[in-house]
Amino acid sequence: MTPAFQPPRYAVLYVDDEAKSLHYFRAAFEDVFPIYTADNAADGYSILMERGAEIGVLLSDQRMPGEKGVELLEKARRLNPNLVRILVTAYTDYQTAVDAVNEGRIYRYVHKPWEPEDLQGVIERALDLYGALLERDRLLGEKAETLRQMMMADKVAGLEILAEGLNHHLRNALTVIRAFIDLAPLKLDEELQGQPPHDASFWTELHGQAQNQMQRIQIVLRRLGEASQSREVPCDDELDVLRLLDEVAGSYASSFAQRGVQLTHYVHPTVPVIRVNGERFRQLWRMLMADQLTHLGPGDRVHIHAEPSADSAGRPCVTFIVEDTGAWVGEDSVSNLFDPFFVRTHQPAELGVNLTACYVIVHQHGGRIDATPREGGGLRIVIVLPIDGNGSSVEQASFFDRMVDHERRWREREA
């Protein structure tokens, strides 16, 4: 049997300029709800800002010196749209209250003088509504995360199909072309019998460029195949994040220094040990650093920041933020970064497949990766990984059970 819903103990704030009303309210309800009171709109709004989502219901008298009740309730709505707002009015303010309800600015109104038993029922229903609104937001967030994971899975599967197709259809053809390019100088010598060719530059510069480009194509195919390995990987290695980033910074310090790029990192002291696939996770950072080295130049900076976080399902995670100051072409969408053939700076040595590999590795660990342009130039890459990569990204059964329960409670309240 499903247990009866027990709403969390969210607090109630009552704002009224009459000291007797505040005293009476606290005496009536302080043993039932967590209570805050204020004798003016400004102090009430300050309490809302300080306590945030802890306060689920705001009751405000309409007639107060300074801001009126409806003005405070409207400001409170902008601060926390889920906050349930109740206007306490005298009969002379009846039309104001009706207008506020009709315009959607308040949940309902209560006439003075109020009866404790009746008002307690109103507050209990309001707190239940507040809990349901917060649960709705959590469910929507989890649904968005579920869809995000599905989209990532589809993209990774598509990459795998692409890589298999390219490798299958192009490798044999490239083998023949590579053999021709490699054997051409030898066959030319045989044909000329020691005489110099009429166009020597063709057989030196152009032939060398053809060899380099052939090698580049083969590297792209190999990297694409490695990047698209979407099979599940065991996440049995425990890694200390600070030690890992120290290792990354140490490995690439000389390479960044040679290019005149400053590399720094910071790990929040409360970041826990994470459980990952050590080989793949280190590959993730090798690919990220290789990408940075390709498109950054003298005077640029890279900063890596790690902090504890949680995803929409409440799983403990670690968020990694990689920010750089490199140039970004405004007409290009940053979402293209994770496409295998997109290159940021169009330098000959750049391989766009590097960030594709990062995308796949993050997916394998049940996380997500996003990129946005930085204000003032540069790029910001955000990676959110669960501290245990073996856990599923979202517990689907639990998610839909809670969604059904939420809808049931919503219908019961509306009945």
Side-chain angles (χ1 to χ4, degrees), residues 14-27 36-41 43 59-67 88-93 111-114:
Y14 182 39
V15 182
D16 196 319
D17 64 316
E18 295 181 5
K20 289 182 179 180
S21 293
L22 296 180
H23 177 76
Y24 187 34
F25 185 86
R26 183 174 289 279
Y36 294 96
T37 59
D39 61 7
N40 62 79
D43 289 346
L59 299 96
S60 177
D61 184 33
Q62 166 61 6
R63 293 195 174 186
M64 296 184 293
E67 283 186 327
V88 182
T89 70
Y91 279 101
T92 54
D93 297 316
H111 284 301
K112 280 185 173 183
W114 40 262

Side-chain angles (χ1 to χ4, degrees), residues 359-411:
Y359 189 94
V360 174
I361 294 170
V362 171
H363 169 72
Q364 289 173 331
H365 286 80
R368 62 180 176 84
I369 181 170
D370 296 294
T372 55
R374 288 180 67 251
E375 291 187 12
L379 189 69
R380 187 174 194 259
I381 296 176
V382 178
I383 301 171
V384 180
L385 290 178
I387 62 173
D388 186 353
N390 288 311
S392 61
S393 60
V394 176
E395 294 292 339
Q396 296 288 339
S398 171
F399 170 76
F400 286 109
D401 287 345
R402 284 181 286 119
M403 178 183 287
V404 170
D405 181 64
H406 176 266
E407 291 299 319
R408 176 186 58 78
R409 289 190 284 108
W410 193 279
R411 287 195 300 271

Side-chain angles (χ1 to χ4, degrees), residues 87-254:
L87 187 65
V88 182
T89 70
Y91 279 101
T92 54
D93 297 316
Y94 175 75
Q95 190 58 48
T96 299
V98 170
D99 292 342
V101 170
N102 290 338
E103 293 170 8
R105 289 181 289 168
I106 65 172
Y107 168 60
R108 62 172 299 168
Y109 60 89
V110 174
H111 284 301
K112 280 185 173 183
W114 40 262
E115 292 294 330
E117 295 80 6
D118 295 338
L119 186 55
Q120 179 173 333
V122 171
I123 295 174
E124 287 175 348
R125 290 190 293 274
L127 285 172
D128 183 50
L129 172 60
Y130 182 67
L133 291 171
L134 293 184
E135 179 68 8
R136 180 198 63 181
D137 285 354
R138 284 192 291 268
L139 289 170
L140 290 174
E142 289 186 28
K143 184 62 176 176
E145 185 64 25
T146 302
L147 293 174
R148 180 195 295 271
Q149 292 294 333
M150 292 172 61
M151 292 174 64
M152 288 188 72
D154 286 345
K155 185 170 184 176
V156 169
L159 287 171
E160 189 169 16
I161 294 172
L162 174 65
E164 289 180 357
L166 288 175
N167 276 285
H168 175 74
H169 291 289
L170 294 184
R171 280 196 178 277
N172 290 338
L174 289 175
T175 299
V176 175
I177 297 172
R178 179 64 184 267
F180 175 80
I181 292 175
D182 290 343
L183 292 175
L186 298 176
K187 299 302 293 182
L188 179 65
D189 285 342
E190 291 179 5
E191 293 293 333
L192 294 177
Q193 297 180 351
Q195 298 297 317
H198 294 292
D199 189 353
S201 64
F202 176 87
W203 293 104
T204 53
E205 297 177 10
L206 190 58
H207 182 265
Q209 292 177 14
Q211 286 181 312
N212 291 337
Q213 291 303 315
M214 176 59 61
Q215 184 179 11
R216 175 178 167 79
I217 293 171
Q218 291 178 320
I219 291 174
V220 168
L221 288 175
R222 185 176 71 250
R223 295 256 183 105
L224 184 60
E226 294 171 352
S228 62
Q229 295 174 359
S230 60
R231 60 181 181 273
E232 294 184 2
V233 296
C235 297
D236 301 325
D237 302 310
E238 291 188 346
L239 292 183
D240 179 271
V241 174
L242 177 59
R243 184 174 299 176
L244 170 72
L245 293 185
D246 284 343
E247 175 186 318
V248 170
S251 299
Y252 287 90
S254 60

Side-chain angles (χ1 to χ4, degrees), residues 9-12 34 36 50-57 80 127 130:
R9 283 178 58 84
Y10 297 112
V12 178
Y36 294 96
E50 178 183 352
R51 296 295 174 178
E54 174 190 343
I55 296 178
V57 176
N80 178 6
L127 285 172
Y130 182 67

